[in-house]
Amino acid sequence: MSYARLWIPIAFGLLLSACSSNDPDPAQYGPDPVLPEPERGLLPDMTVARPAPWGDQVPTVPDGYTISAIATDLKIPRQTLVLPNGDILVAEGRGGYAPALKPKDVIAGYIKSRGTTSVESGNRLTLLRDADGDGVYEFQTVFAEDLNAPYGLALVDNTLYVANQDALVRFNYREGQTQADGAPVKVTDLPSAINHHWTKSLAASPDGRFLYVGIGSNSNITERGMTAEVDRALIWEIDANTGAHRPYATGLRNPTALTIQPETDQLWVVVNERDEIGPNLVPDYITAVQEGGFYGWPYSYWGQHVDDRVRPQDPEKVASAITPDYALGSHVAALGIDFSEPAMGEEFADGLFVGEHGSWNRNTPVGYKVIFIPFTDGRPSGPPVDFVTGFLREDGRTRGRPVGVTVDPRGALIVADDLANVVWRVTPANNN
């Protein structure tokens, strides 16, 4: 029995005693989630937390940590990147706009829209600077604009890469630069027809030779047909010099964030799984990405659990499906991941931070927070720990929705909140 499996019974008891209204079923955390039988009705459960103001309040963080808003009044901040000099780039925007297929989609779209900001899409990168190191980012400027729903960000030496919803582009970058020197240069087009899942996540290989781009599916479970899913639900590996690309891993319904694990150089992904078969199906997950691996979508979930809704079935593909490493619970809608650094404090020194945007496909909301998953010897080794909470109020309304999470190696977690249009910064109390 693996080390990870040993802690499940203990974790289950602890989580039962500590779970709150926005926690998924505790039995759905970790490497062996409990998977109930699918539930299907005329309409799926659809509830999204409606917005509420922060007022003079801020999110809740663990004892010994502080949180502050370092940028406000942004235009839909999604992902962030900490540059070598400590500046922070913020990708702002919203894409997609896939047409509805059925009356159910119209209803779902309306319900989802009630839990999003009314602010216009920024389609830009904003740069934040704390010149004197006091934790206050007093300088804010637009680094690049007129982009197309930018999302994933990566810096390799003197090149800044941006994953727009339709193309991977690059800018020249020099340390301390506050504005792009010119228009972006296209590296390669990205699949953008329909763009049901429009976000394009991004990570660079440690040597900078390749870029990895996560590309979501064009449907929940192929309602638009398989033609619409060509080059979707996968991770591309792109040659940084030529733009040539190939599938690196497939069967990933919506790979919303990518990151490289320190020391091992392993690529990790967080994936939003399918909807409409019950409040506790299917768990979203994190996993180390196996080159050439197939992760089930659309034919199966959590390894080889067949989804009977998909036509035609493909038993051979199901037989090859890889079981993910760690379940986050169903419908938490995780949109950000990053590995920690020792400067984040002893309890949170080794592990993965996950930003959970929050559910829509269940009656009781889940997610709406940032969690920390501890690691030991390079693998998940325990139940998740709440790190940034307080977004979801007791009355079911929410003040914010976390998206990207980025660890500043100096000792801070940067959290993009695309509902309140704020960037939050969490630090150990002894850091600025």
Side-chain angles (χ1 to χ4, degrees), residues 22 47-55 57 59 112 114-117 356-359 365-369 388-402 417-420:
N22 61 322
T47 300
V48 68
R50 299 190 67 179
W54 279 104
Q57 296 182 303
K112 291 178 186 179
R114 297 170 69 190
T116 60
T117 181
E356 298 182 347
H357 200 232
S359 63
V366 293
Y368 298 92
K369 60 183 176 180
V388 189
T389 61
F391 295 90
L392 193 67
R393 303 194 319 191
E394 291 184 1
D395 64 2
R397 300 185 71 180
T398 190
R399 304 176 179 98
R401 303 188 74 177
D417 176 345
D418 74 350
L419 179 61

Side-chain angles (χ1 to χ4, degrees), residues 67-334:
I67 186 168
S68 61
I70 60 172
T72 59
D73 299 320
L74 295 170
K75 293 186 174 183
I76 317 182
R78 304 288 291 183
Q79 299 289 338
T80 60
L81 177 68
V82 178
L83 298 170
N85 69 338
D87 289 351
I88 299 171
L89 282 178
V90 185
E92 300 168 80
R94 176 166 52 205
Y97 312 111
L101 284 175
K102 304 174 182 178
K104 176 258 309 179
D105 299 318
V106 176
I107 298 170
Y110 171 70
I111 290 173
K112 291 178 186 179
S113 70
R114 297 170 69 190
T116 60
T117 181
S118 60
V119 170
E120 181 182 355
S121 175
N123 293 322
R124 67 186 186 184
L125 305 183
T126 290
L127 183 139
L128 311 176
R129 174 171 292 173
D130 171 16
D132 55 9
D134 64 353
V136 177
Y137 287 70
E138 67 281 343
F139 180 73
Q140 178 174 322
T141 189
V142 175
F143 182 87
E145 54 190 346
D146 298 325
L147 300 173
N148 187 358
Y151 189 79
L153 302 169
L155 181 68
V156 178
D157 298 326
N158 296 318
T159 304
L160 172 66
Y161 293 94
V162 181
N164 288 327
Q165 70 170 339
D166 63 344
L168 177 67
V169 301
R170 67 172 182 258
F171 295 92
N172 293 326
Y173 173 79
R174 63 182 184 279
E175 189 167 311
Q177 185 175 353
T178 59
Q179 188 173 15
D181 290 334
V185 175
K186 183 189 295 184
V187 178
T188 188
D189 290 319
L190 298 175
S192 59
I194 302 176
N195 258 355
H196 172 73
H197 290 127
W198 64 269
T199 57
K200 302 300 194 295
S201 53
L202 178 64
S205 64
D207 61 6
R209 181 182 173 187
F210 297 107
L211 288 311
Y212 299 100
V213 175
I215 303 166
S217 66
N218 257 329
S219 63
N220 182 34
I221 42 106
T222 69
E223 296 92 335
R224 290 185 167 89
M226 291 304 292
T227 300
E229 304 300 344
V230 174
D231 285 329
R232 309 294 301 211
L234 47 63
I235 296 170
W236 268 3
E237 181 185 71
I238 301 173
D239 187 298
N241 292 322
T242 68
H245 54 77
R246 69 181 180 102
Y248 187 79
T250 59
L252 302 150
R253 177 178 175 272
N254 192 13
T256 55
L258 298 163
T259 191
I260 301 293
Q261 186 174 19
E263 291 144 8
T264 69
D265 293 342
Q266 171 67 52
L267 179 67
W268 283 74
V269 64
V270 64
V271 174
N272 284 194
E273 255 291 358
R274 66 204 74 198
D275 299 316
E276 302 177 28
I277 48 176
N280 293 312
L281 284 179
V282 171
D284 298 335
Y285 62 84
I286 60 167
T287 195
V289 182
Q290 298 184 31
E291 182 177 355
F294 172 71
Y295 289 85
W297 191 89
Y299 307 106
S300 64
Y301 56 85
W302 199 258
Q304 299 174 13
H305 292 79
V306 173
D307 191 330
D308 290 330
R309 298 172 295 174
V310 179
R311 292 291 183 272
Q313 296 279 297
D314 193 332
E316 289 188 11
K317 293 292 287 184
V318 171
S320 71
I322 297 169
T323 301
D325 288 307
Y326 190 102
L328 301 171
S330 298
H331 311 302
V332 298

Side-chain angles (χ1 to χ4, degrees), residues 21-66:
S21 61
N22 61 322
D23 287 324
D25 184 333
Q28 289 207 314
Y29 288 126
D32 291 304
V34 174
L35 303 179
E37 290 298 314
E39 301 175 18
R40 296 184 64 184
L42 181 62
L43 287 174
D45 292 336
M46 291 185 280
T47 300
V48 68
R50 299 190 67 179
W54 279 104
D56 59 358
Q57 296 182 303
V58 296
T60 302
V61 294
D63 291 343
Y65 289 79
T66 61

Side-chain angles (χ1 to χ4, degrees), residues 8 11-17 19 23-30 33-34 280 384:
I8 288 296
F12 180 73
L14 291 173
L15 286 163
L16 280 175
S17 64
C19 64
D23 287 324
D25 184 333
Q28 289 207 314
Y29 288 126
V34 174
N280 293 312

